[in-house]
Amino acid sequence: MSEKIQATEDHHLSLADVEHEIHHHTELPSTALSNLLDAFVHRVGAFFSWLWIATVLVIIYSVVSRYVFGQGSVFLEELAWHLAGAAWLVGMSYTLVHDDHVRVDVLHERFSLRTQAWFELFGILILLLPFLYITFAEVLPYTLASFEQGERSQAPAGLPFRWAIKAFMPFSMGLLILAAVSRLLKTTAFLFGLPKPIKLNKDA
């Protein structure tokens, strides 16, 4: 019996093993490609998460300047929401990769794991990926037009390079597409065994 368990740990899991393992760990199996996509999105998200610290520091500096020294700054106000907007946009893909996005858990948790996987499959294919593709196709020319026009803030003392924040829209949609494809691969690996699932847990 112990030899069988060891063999399962050392080799690719069968679908039955995967389903059993998932019920204990409540996560979909990984695949080689999904691991690569997840790692990339995770690193990008972790890097841009520092924008939240920058946002807080800018807000604190702006508030102190305005209410202590009486020196308000449109530049700082716009910089704060630019940074927050960029961090939020990139954070969506990071959240999806880590499966921390909002669900209707009152319903989702009542379904069997296989039913949850089918909902994920159809949701990604019919709703998420088409929405992301349409959004990406719409915001890309919008961003390029802003860049070509050298768009800047309408406020005299505002930020230049308004296209920079707009560039985060197609960028974040691209990251979300990668995260959605990764999730789709995990779902098909669980439901159909394609791509072949790999071990859920690695030895520490």
Side-chain angles (χ1 to χ4, degrees), residues 56-132:
V56 172
L57 293 177
V58 170
I59 291 174
I60 292 174
Y61 184 79
S62 178
V63 170
V64 172
S65 296
R66 175 181 293 273
Y67 293 103
V68 176
F69 301 104
Q71 298 177 351
S73 173
V74 174
F75 180 91
L76 291 176
E77 291 179 2
E78 290 192 352
L79 180 60
W81 66 259
H82 274 67
L83 292 174
W88 181 81
L89 285 169
V90 175
M92 292 190 296
S93 56
Y94 183 91
T95 301
L96 181 57
V97 158
H98 291 277
D99 197 25
D100 288 331
H101 51 293
V102 176
R103 298 179 183 274
V104 186
D105 284 328
V106 67
L107 299 176
H108 187 268
E109 66 183 4
R110 297 177 183 271
F111 299 143
S112 68
L113 188 59
R114 185 160 292 273
T115 301
Q116 292 176 14
W118 278 108
F119 270 97
E120 291 246 356
L121 178 66
F122 288 111
I124 293 172
L125 288 177
I126 297 175
L127 298 176
L128 182 57
L129 282 176
F131 170 79
L132 294 177

Side-chain angles (χ1 to χ4, degrees), residues 131-158:
F131 170 79
L132 294 177
Y133 172 77
I134 293 172
T135 304
F136 179 84
E138 290 294 326
V139 298
L140 182 58
Y142 175 68
T143 301
L144 292 176
S146 176
F147 174 76
E148 292 171 354
Q149 296 167 11
E151 185 181 3
R152 58 168 297 138
S153 172
Q154 295 179 353

Side-chain angles (χ1 to χ4, degrees), residues 18-29 108-120 190-191:
V18 169
E19 185 166 3
H20 174 74
E21 192 76 10
I22 292 173
H23 275 293
H24 285 284
H25 297 279
T26 62
E27 61 181 16
L28 294 171
H108 187 268
E109 66 183 4
R110 297 177 183 271
F111 299 143
S112 68
L113 188 59
R114 185 160 292 273
T115 301
Q116 292 176 14
W118 278 108
F119 270 97
E120 291 246 356
F190 172 58
L191 291 173

Side-chain angles (χ1 to χ4, degrees), residues 44-54 87 90:
V44 173
F47 174 79
F48 281 101
S49 66
W50 289 97
L51 290 178
W52 288 116
I53 296 179
V90 175

